[in-house]
Amino acid sequence: MQNSNYDYDTVVIGGGFAGVRACRDLSEQGYSVLLLEARDRLGGRTWSKHSKVGVFEGTVELGGQWVWPDRQVNMMAEIKRYGLTLTRSATPESYPSYVAGVHNPGPLPVPLEDIYDFERAAFALLTDAHRISPGIPLDQQNVGDLDIPYGQYLDALGVSPATRGWFTFFGSVFTARYPEEISALGPLTFIAQMEHSLIRAWGILDEYLVEGTGALIGAMASDSHADIRFETPVANVTQNADGVTVTTAAGNVFTARTAVVATPLATWADIDFDPPLSEAKSSASRERHMAYPVKVLMQVNNAPRFPYLLADPDNAGGAILLVAEQELDQGGQMMTGFYVNHLEREDSFGTDFAGVERFLKTLCPEAELVDFQCHEWATDPWARGFVAYKPGRLSKSHTELAAPQERVFFATADIATTFMTWMEGALESGKKAAVDAHRHMAQPASNP
Ligand SMILES: Cc1cc2nc3c(=O)[nH]c(=O)nc-3n(C[C@H](O)[C@H](O)[C@H](O)COP(=O)(O)OP(=O)(O)OC[C@H]3O[C@@H](n4cnc5c(N)ncnc54)[C@H](O)[C@@H]3O)c2cc1C
């Protein structure tokens, strides 16, 4: 289908789930596609690799991992298509929490005397989450009054510190920022997309791929017949009435009829666009809206068996969650932890042994860290965290953030309308970009 005036029909920039989905769908329709990826691997903010953590040896996921089979139709279709296998996470044996600086053994989420407060807060969050319909851009849903700092939203509930602390979890687990820094729309949208269920949103660590996310994205990429170039960051995207010219940081130039920008929203400001990005896109990217997540995989000794330990980061140095993955034959457990590693706060845990140990002991003082692995997503220039929208952005610009600019289309989980910031959202937005690019190229009169 390629027109000889161009090197390719489409250049896709970025090889995460959104970009690879766009590549695969377009090449399936007969278009010639070039994928330019900055890193030396596919997968972006998913990264599965064979690794050793203490005595554990196997596949570790340093980024996106969990899938929700009941609702994530795009993920499930891909997993089925390539014959991969899902397995369920280990069932927790206890539900302790560390909120408002107090260890609570559970299973009640808050101490008994706070339980009516807890119910009132749950009712308020569920009522507001019910105003949100996943699949529709948030600027089309009349929810501007919820686009306020989540800390302010929680304060207005007038609940006890333990209840407030417990509900900060929904803000932080999804954005890896503190409640005053993010919009309440983030956690409320998260609850809405989990079937408007607090329990479902709380127990998000559901099923994951036995073969690893890398096996899935690898299968999709091999199926695409795209020309894939690694270690090829893009520096400039120029379009005019004739087509798109994409220039790499090394100065290589490629021409195409269309381009799909499938890089994280926070990285768009690092690419030079001519004509420039719309005001909403460029200001949102310059504002970064960045999450500061650390997901750490650890061999831990002397911890309680299979806890699901939730914390409020405000009072726990940034700690959010500690769960067990499996018991190790030689003793100890493989555990996964999540925390906010705030770039502007000096008291953040950091990612060296002492910092990870501090995180672990904050939640579980008796536990011993043996070994760990993690990746600093927030300082990774090709990721810049994942998206954590600040107040006032999504209720104004969600539609525009995802809108094409003539021959240039945008795809990333950061702008999705269902499962925003999930692998599912990435697949949905890659699929949409491929449909839009195909429509553009299928109009012979206006598009050569
Ligand atoms: C710690 C962590 C835990 C997570 N847990 C889950 C989970 O359990 N379940 C879930 O569904 N999701 C999870 N996510 C989110 C999920 O991983 C992402 O939403 C999804 O992978 C994003 O896909 P994407 O294609 O939009 O972006 P990315 O995966 O970031 O892909 C973008 C690609 O663009 C490339 N790129 C960037 N700039 C340039 C450039 N200038 N030129 C060329 N290439 C460029 C990058 O290298 C990258 O490969 C998690 C994320 C993190 C960080």
Side-chain angles (χ1 to χ4, degrees), residues 14 16-18 37-39 44-45 64-66 234 262 412-413 421-423:
F17 273 101
E37 167 52 50
R39 295 183 170 106
R45 286 170 284 180
Q65 174 173 357
W66 283 279
V234 165
T412 166
T421 84
W422 293 63
M423 295 179 280

Side-chain angles (χ1 to χ4, degrees), residues 34-212:
L34 170 68
L35 172 62
L36 298 175
E37 167 52 50
R39 295 183 170 106
D40 60 359
R41 62 172 183 85
L42 295 173
R45 286 170 284 180
T46 58
W47 189 6
S48 62
K49 55 179 191 173
H50 188 88
S51 213
K52 266 181 82 94
V53 183
V55 297
F56 169 86
E57 186 167 1
T59 303
V60 295
E61 297 276 5
L62 295 172
Q65 174 173 357
W66 283 279
V67 178
W68 183 19
D70 294 354
R71 277 307 180 106
Q72 298 192 333
V73 290
N74 288 291
M75 279 304 283
M76 290 313 290
E78 299 298 340
I79 290 168
K80 198 167 167 203
R81 176 169 175 165
Y82 298 108
L84 299 177
T85 330
L86 284 173
T87 190
R88 191 165 279 283
S89 291
T91 306
E93 293 187 0
S94 62
Y95 295 90
S97 62
Y98 180 57
V99 291
V102 178
H103 288 279
N104 172 22
L108 285 182
V110 289
L112 188 60
E113 61 270 25
D114 288 326
I115 204 73
Y116 294 119
D117 234 20
F118 182 89
E119 185 185 36
R120 209 157 48 75
F123 183 75
L125 264 84
L126 284 170
T127 305
D128 287 333
H130 269 283
R131 292 176 52 198
I132 298 169
S133 304
I136 301 173
L138 288 161
D139 55 335
Q140 298 176 30
Q141 298 202 41
N142 196 19
V143 286
D145 59 312
L146 301 176
D147 202 0
I148 57 171
Y150 188 47
Q152 186 184 324
Y153 177 93
L154 292 173
D155 288 343
L157 298 176
V159 290
S160 68
T163 299
R164 188 189 191 281
W166 200 92
F167 281 93
T168 60
F169 170 77
F170 293 105
S172 311
V173 74
F174 183 58
T175 63
R177 291 290 286 257
Y178 291 100
E180 66 275 14
E181 299 175 317
I182 50 145
S183 169
L185 271 182
L188 292 170
T189 305
F190 171 51
I191 294 163
Q193 71 198 2
M194 302 308 280
E195 256 170 354
H196 298 95
S197 163
L198 279 176
I199 304 284
R200 202 66 195 73
W202 164 69
I204 50 170
L205 308 185
D206 201 344
E207 299 196 17
Y208 61 92
L209 278 162
V210 174
E211 300 86 350

